[in-house]
Amino acid sequence: MTNAKVRVELTQNPKEKVPEDKLGFGTVFTDHLFLMDWDEENGWHDARVVPYNALQLDPSCGALHYGQAIFEGLKAYNNGGKVYLFRPQKNFERLNNSADRVCLPKLDEEFALEALKEFVTVDRSWVPTTPGTSLYLRPLMFNSEASLGVHPAKKVTYLVMASPSGAYFTGGLQPMRLYVEDEYVRAAVGGIGFAKTAGNYAASLKGQLKAQEFGCQQCLWLDAKEHRYVEEGGAMNVFFKINGEFYTPALTGSILPGVTRDSMLQLLRDRGEKVHEARLDVNELFKQAQNGELEEMFCTGTAAVVTPVGTLVRQNHETGQLEEVSINGGETGEYTRSLYEELTNLQLGKGEDKHGWLVEVCDAE
Amino acid sequence: MTNAKVRVELTQNPKEKVPEDKLGFGTVFTDHLFLMDWDEENGWHDARVVPYNALQLDPSCGALHYGQAIFEGLKAYNNGGKVYLFRPQKNFERLNNSADRVCLPKLDEEFALEALKEFVTVDRSWVPTTPGTSLYLRPLMFNSEASLGVHPAKKVTYLVMASPSGAYFTGGLQPMRLYVEDEYVRAAVGGIGFAKTAGNYAASLKGQLKAQEFGCQQCLWLDAKEHRYVEEGGAMNVFFKINGEFYTPALTGSILPGVTRDSMLQLLRDRGEKVHEARLDVNELFKQAQNGELEEMFCTGTAAVVTPVGTLVRQNHETGQLEEVSINGGETGEYTRSLYEELTNLQLGKGEDKHGWLVEVCDAE
């Protein structure tokens, strides 16, 4: 499949581009889509780049009813006249792990990357150039079979869409407030939490709204079993600097193995820091925040790369009162800032790419 | 909204009907769809019955990426020349509970029922008449907003589709073998298990395939916390007759509150049986099956109404061997059969409808 051809049908009606300072997230799409089909008889076939258009789906389409859908998120950057991807191999590796969990067919990862590069090349004029902007890429695989039977898809669609995205922080890094969610859970061990699959996101909305009601930007998810061990911060992985060492929740099956998480672990190890993937008790963290041992805290994800956490908020269920603790006085930690700068510089080709994380796609327009 | 009009646009190209003895499940659809839209500004609007057709969805449609979709399943029966629904109010009540959990807008339950009746009336010629057949109705509500942002839908589609369905058991009740799944979990307390939402079904596929590998039709799900207490059997609720009394798992938040489960509980109480909604330890159940105290076991759901369980299978993780126990010698229990007959007779209008469960729709054609 690696040498399979990608058919390209260019749009006859290019869209007008949105000015780069008006870009938000996920509402502006490029001129084209990448599409590929799978069925039991033919496997993956008909890889094609076509004009961006609505999908025609039977109302019984399995993905709509049964959530058999998985996705990825990664970015293309314009680094001084060339377009680069950052560690795209990790995304396709994870996509295949997600596919296995919800019984979707695997992709040939090498072909998927070549096809992605071809797609990005077609839409290269959409890669924005303002600092902090990027072309967000969204691979999506879903059950497109017309059947109400609950069974693994016999017909599957894989697509990639692209969305030019604005700078996440326009006024510098902004520390978040996180609400410790101890009622709703995002995922359980034995469930689908490690997979980037549709249902995890629907499950997270209610907690997210609750966090906002309590004046927080995101919630801090705890484990499903004891509601005590930290899992994720919103839809991001989470890191702690405690007494000069670094901690992030171990991947126990209910946590998404973030690509940025993995890059951050490598970057910290490259700096010679002590890094622990561990089980982190939220009660301990509150104490450590209060006595200053918890020096800094931040979240990692593709969208914002690094987001500092300034405040943790939780409800005392006996009194109904909210308790909050600040971390580093509620401000962005200096170490967190240096990590953000190092990682974003790497993505923009400004650092030494010692692990070969940048993948060149094409010349920018 | 209750008096809102439903616009009806009849098809100009009625489909040819599939013979009733060739009907399976969920692949044949009627001539029409019911559709209704919601957005923040207008609320629910444009209720309409239109010719069955593909949906046009933006590739960024929130339901495809984030599983923000909920559904229901119920049946219309041709009872001697009239079309009836069975307890449809319970389905709309549950749909609204599901909506709340995944942050979708609620329906006016009374209007939804009136609209459903109008839709079924339009497609009444599709209600099959052979014993055991029915017109399966599938209400579906999903996020149809074109945005990759993870947030509650700002644009929602509600539809109802209808599928004439064949008899579930063609050769009489068939006892199932259930595989006790102690690795994968369907749902956790605090999660979305009580909601009829897309992600629960994607999460269940892997366990289902594993059960089949072990020669079983479905798996018996256990709780996410201790992998010890029974939750559901496949996508059905589960009942046990132990020492002459009846047991079903209590609704703790991770179990779907089945309409058939509720009807079964009422029917058992009407018969004067002792009924317990309880926490049921699978290890105890194995012992009770071995010593004959577990007299009968069956699952309940809309599709099959009542399905007997003849055998429980589990893996001994120390030896890798499979252990199995049979219930009532692996045969359909007489009491289970009598419950199946009483409930299906009620649905077909042959029993005394003392709880007012049947809702008349229209004359059949």
Side-chain angles (χ1 to χ4, degrees):
Chain A
M1 184 97 204
T2 307
N3 293 311
K5 287 280 195 316
V6 176
R7 174 166 64 85
V8 177
E9 179 194 338
L10 295 179
T11 184
Q12 297 304 307
N13 301 294
K15 300 173 187 171
E16 199 167 323
K17 292 197 173 60
V18 173
E20 293 192 6
D21 61 348
K22 296 276 189 296
L23 292 170
F25 176 76
T27 54
V28 174
F29 304 105
T30 61
D31 281 323
H32 298 88
L33 276 182
F34 176 82
L35 280 165
M36 185 161 65
D37 302 310
W38 181 93
D39 59 43
E40 289 183 311
E41 197 185 338
N42 302 299
W44 287 112
H45 63 279
D46 200 12
R48 59 204 186 272
V49 173
V50 296
Y52 191 95
N53 214 330
L55 303 171
Q56 299 250 352
L57 296 176
D58 193 88
S60 68
C61 158
L64 284 180
H65 296 255
Y66 305 129
Q68 210 194 354
I70 57 178
F71 67 91
E72 278 300 324
L74 71 166
K75 290 172 171 177
Y77 301 92
N78 181 334
N79 294 352
K82 280 195 187 293
V83 176
Y84 287 89
L85 301 171
F86 187 72
R87 307 189 77 190
Q89 301 91 341
K90 295 292 284 180
N91 293 93
F92 291 118
E93 182 188 320
R94 185 171 63 185
L95 189 71
N96 273 345
N97 288 337
S98 300
D100 182 69
R101 181 61 184 86
V102 299
C103 305
L104 284 166
K106 294 196 178 188
L107 287 176
D108 176 323
E109 295 175 25
E110 212 178 306
F111 174 74
L113 176 54
E114 289 310 309
L116 179 67
K117 287 159 78 172
E118 187 144 350
F119 169 59
V120 172
T121 302
V122 170
D123 273 342
R124 65 192 177 279
S125 69
W126 287 87
V127 182
T129 58
T130 312
T133 63
S134 60
L135 184 66
Y136 180 82
L137 300 166
R138 169 57 62 91
L140 171 73
M141 189 195 295
F142 64 95
N143 177 347
S144 48
E145 183 189 352
S147 167
L148 293 180
V150 179
H151 55 243
K154 291 173 185 155
K155 218 183 128 206
V156 176
T157 300
Y158 170 72
L159 64 80
V160 186
M161 52 199 299
S163 174
S165 297
Y168 199 88
F169 295 112
T170 47
L173 289 174
Q174 306 284 345
M176 287 194 295
R177 293 166 61 89
L178 292 189
Y179 177 75
V180 178
E181 178 53 60
D182 56 5
E183 176 189 5
Y184 298 115
V185 301
R186 180 188 163 275
V189 174
I192 55 177
F194 71 85
K196 208 162 173 73
T197 180
N200 288 327
Y201 297 81
S204 76
L205 294 170
K206 189 94 175 168
Q208 173 62 20
L209 288 188
K210 194 171 151 194
Q212 288 169 6
E213 278 168 27
F214 288 126
C216 295
Q217 284 79 35
Q218 298 282 347
C219 53
L220 187 70
W221 295 110
L222 302 179
D223 74 290
K225 200 163 171 177
E226 300 188 48
H227 299 267
R228 180 173 162 192
Y229 298 103
V230 170
E231 301 231 311
E232 295 188 18
M236 291 178 275
N237 293 117
V238 56
F239 284 79
F240 302 88
K241 180 168 179 266
I242 302 170
N243 292 323
E245 301 187 4
F246 292 83
Y247 295 81
T248 192
L251 300 177
T252 51
S254 52
I255 295 172
L256 193 80
V259 176
T260 313
R261 174 187 184 278
D262 187 83
S263 305
M264 183 56 73
L265 287 172
Q266 185 62 53
L267 194 151
L268 287 166
R269 286 174 180 136
D270 288 351
R271 286 184 176 197
E273 299 292 355
K274 282 202 177 156
V275 183
H276 310 269
E277 296 181 68
R279 200 158 81 147
L280 298 162
D281 182 333
V282 73
N283 300 312
E284 280 301 304
L285 292 167
F286 261 75
K287 283 184 206 153
Q288 289 164 331
Q290 273 151 355
N291 67 24
E293 292 179 277
L294 170 49
E295 297 155 354
E296 300 190 23
M297 177 178 173
F298 58 92
C299 294
T300 61
T302 298
V305 189
V306 171
T307 313
V309 178
T311 311
L312 290 176
V313 180
R314 67 175 172 183
Q315 192 167 28
N316 181 322
H317 293 293
E318 283 171 26
T319 65
Q321 299 295 303
L322 292 183
E323 290 176 15
E324 61 178 77
V325 284
S326 61
I327 297 155
N328 190 44
E331 299 300 319
T332 299
E334 280 317 302
Y335 201 95
T336 300
R337 186 183 304 278
S338 78
L339 291 168
Y340 171 75
E341 284 168 5
E342 184 172 351
L343 193 48
T344 49
N345 278 336
L346 254 175
Q347 290 173 334
L348 296 174
K350 292 181 193 161
E352 185 201 347
D353 183 20
K354 60 181 123 178
H355 300 290
W357 286 346
L358 290 176
V359 171
E360 187 180 326
V361 177
C362 61
D363 288 334
E365 275 209 343
Chain B
M1 184 97 203
T2 306
N3 294 310
K5 286 276 194 317
V6 176
R7 173 165 65 84
V8 178
E9 180 194 339
L10 295 179
T11 183
Q12 297 304 308
N13 300 294
K15 300 175 188 171
E16 197 166 325
K17 293 197 174 62
V18 174
E20 294 191 6
D21 60 348
K22 297 275 188 295
L23 292 171
F25 176 76
T27 54
V28 174
F29 304 107
T30 62
D31 281 323
H32 299 89
L33 276 181
F34 176 82
L35 279 164
M36 186 160 66
D37 301 312
W38 180 93
D39 59 43
E40 289 184 312
E41 197 185 338
N42 302 297
W44 287 112
H45 62 278
D46 200 11
R48 59 204 186 272
V49 173
V50 295
Y52 190 96
N53 214 330
L55 303 171
Q56 299 251 353
L57 296 176
D58 192 88
S60 68
C61 158
L64 284 181
H65 296 256
Y66 306 129
Q68 211 194 353
I70 57 177
F71 67 92
E72 278 300 324
L74 71 165
K75 290 173 171 176
Y77 302 91
N78 181 334
N79 294 353
K82 281 196 185 293
V83 176
Y84 286 89
L85 300 171
F86 187 73
R87 309 189 75 190
Q89 301 92 339
K90 295 291 285 181
N91 293 93
F92 290 117
E93 181 189 322
R94 184 171 63 185
L95 190 72
N96 273 346
N97 289 338
S98 300
D100 181 70
R101 181 60 184 87
V102 299
C103 305
L104 284 167
K106 294 197 179 189
L107 288 176
D108 177 321
E109 296 176 24
E110 213 177 308
F111 174 74
L113 176 54
E114 290 308 310
L116 179 67
K117 287 159 79 172
E118 186 143 351
F119 169 58
V120 172
T121 302
V122 170
D123 273 343
R124 64 192 178 280
S125 70
W126 287 88
V127 183
T129 57
T130 311
T133 63
S134 60
L135 184 66
Y136 180 82
L137 300 166
R138 169 57 62 93
L140 171 73
M141 189 196 293
F142 64 94
N143 176 347
S144 49
E145 182 189 353
S147 167
L148 293 180
V150 179
H151 55 243
K154 292 174 186 154
K155 218 185 127 204
V156 176
T157 300
Y158 170 71
L159 65 80
V160 186
M161 52 199 299
S163 175
S165 297
Y168 200 88
F169 295 112
T170 47
L173 290 173
Q174 305 284 346
M176 286 195 295
R177 293 165 61 88
L178 292 189
Y179 177 75
V180 178
E181 178 54 60
D182 56 4
E183 177 190 3
Y184 299 114
V185 301
R186 181 188 162 274
V189 174
I192 56 177
F194 72 84
K196 207 161 174 76
T197 180
N200 289 327
Y201 296 81
S204 76
L205 294 171
K206 189 94 176 169
Q208 174 62 21
L209 288 189
K210 194 171 151 195
Q212 287 169 6
E213 277 168 27
F214 288 126
C216 294
Q217 284 80 36
Q218 299 281 347
C219 54
L220 186 70
W221 296 108
L222 302 179
D223 74 290
K225 201 162 171 177
E226 301 189 47
H227 299 269
R228 182 173 160 189
Y229 299 103
V230 170
E231 301 231 310
E232 293 189 18
M236 292 179 273
N237 294 117
V238 55
F239 284 79
F240 302 87
K241 179 167 178 267
I242 302 170
N243 292 323
E245 302 188 3
F246 291 83
Y247 295 81
T248 191
L251 300 177
T252 51
S254 51
I255 295 172
L256 192 81
V259 177
T260 313
R261 175 186 182 279
D262 188 83
S263 304
M264 182 57 71
L265 286 171
Q266 186 62 54
L267 194 151
L268 287 166
R269 286 175 179 133
D270 288 351
R271 286 184 176 198
E273 299 293 356
K274 282 203 176 153
V275 183
H276 310 271
E277 297 182 67
R279 199 158 83 148
L280 297 162
D281 182 333
V282 73
N283 300 312
E284 280 301 304
L285 292 167
F286 261 75
K287 282 185 205 150
Q288 290 164 330
Q290 273 150 358
N291 67 24
E293 292 179 275
L294 170 50
E295 297 155 353
E296 299 190 22
M297 176 177 174
F298 56 91
C299 293
T300 61
T302 298
V305 189
V306 170
T307 314
V309 177
T311 311
L312 290 176
V313 179
R314 67 175 172 183
Q315 192 167 27
N316 180 322
H317 293 293
E318 283 170 26
T319 65
Q321 299 295 306
L322 292 183
E323 289 175 15
E324 61 178 76
V325 284
S326 61
I327 297 155
N328 190 43
E331 300 299 319
T332 299
E334 279 316 304
Y335 201 96
T336 300
R337 186 183 306 279
S338 79
L339 291 167
Y340 171 75
E341 283 167 4
E342 184 172 349
L343 193 48
T344 50
N345 278 337
L346 254 174
Q347 291 172 332
L348 296 174
K350 292 181 191 161
E352 185 201 347
D353 183 21
K354 61 180 121 178
H355 300 291
W357 285 347
L358 290 176
V359 172
E360 187 180 326
V361 177
C362 63
D363 289 334
E365 275 208 345

